[in-house]
Amino acid sequence: MSAIAGAKIFKQRCDQCLTVEAGGKHMTGPNLNGLIGSKTGQKAVFAYTDANKSKGITRTPATLDIYLTNPKKYIPGTKMVIAGLKKKKDRDALIAYLVK
């Protein structure tokens, strides 16, 4: 799935609460620039839930796929408000966008 399709999904489902550009501001959720390879709940100057801080996973395309399927199941106590992306092709596209 393409990053272009992922950009559309991000705009439809995510950009009300999240940003991705380098130096972008935190909103309801943190800025996601540099997401891949980072640990959950560790970005400076963002008020993560204790659940995100203590999850301790390194974000990879594989862990993002699990998270995006059902955020509240993967990290109980997260502030993430979307129920998840049920379609694998949508998750793959969004991850392709976030990785680029």
Side-chain angles (χ1 to χ4, degrees), residues 16-52:
Q16 303 89 328
C17 298
L18 301 164
T19 60
V20 293
E21 65 277 352
K25 65 180 181 171
H26 298 304
M27 295 171 56
T28 302
N31 173 274
L32 300 180
N33 188 267
L35 180 73
I36 300 299
S38 67
K39 291 219 181 254
T40 57
Q42 303 303 311
K43 271 204 176 188
V45 299
F46 184 77
Y48 288 98
T49 62
D50 288 339
N52 275 287

Side-chain angles (χ1 to χ4, degrees), residues 40-42 49-58 73-76:
T40 57
Q42 303 303 311
T49 62
D50 288 339
N52 275 287
K53 290 177 191 174
S54 64
K55 184 69 176 180
I57 61 158
T58 299
K73 181 177 179 183
Y74 191 57
I75 304 180

Side-chain angles (χ1 to χ4, degrees), residues 1-10 93 96-97 100:
M1 197 41 80
S2 76
I4 294 169
K8 290 178 185 175
I9 292 167
F10 187 86
Y97 173 67
K100 74 162 192 77

Side-chain angles (χ1 to χ4, degrees), residues 1-10 88-100:
M1 197 41 80
S2 76
I4 294 169
K8 290 178 185 175
I9 292 167
F10 187 86
K88 175 79 169 134
K89 66 177 185 136
D90 290 347
R91 293 191 310 273
D92 288 348
L94 182 57
I95 291 166
Y97 173 67
L98 294 173
V99 167
K100 74 162 192 77

Side-chain angles (χ1 to χ4, degrees), residues 64-86:
L64 280 177
D65 183 59
I66 297 166
Y67 178 73
L68 291 170
T69 300
N70 187 337
K72 292 185 184 290
K73 181 177 179 183
Y74 191 57
I75 304 180
T78 185
K79 291 191 275 187
M80 180 74 126
V81 296
I82 69 163
L85 298 172
K86 302 305 176 208

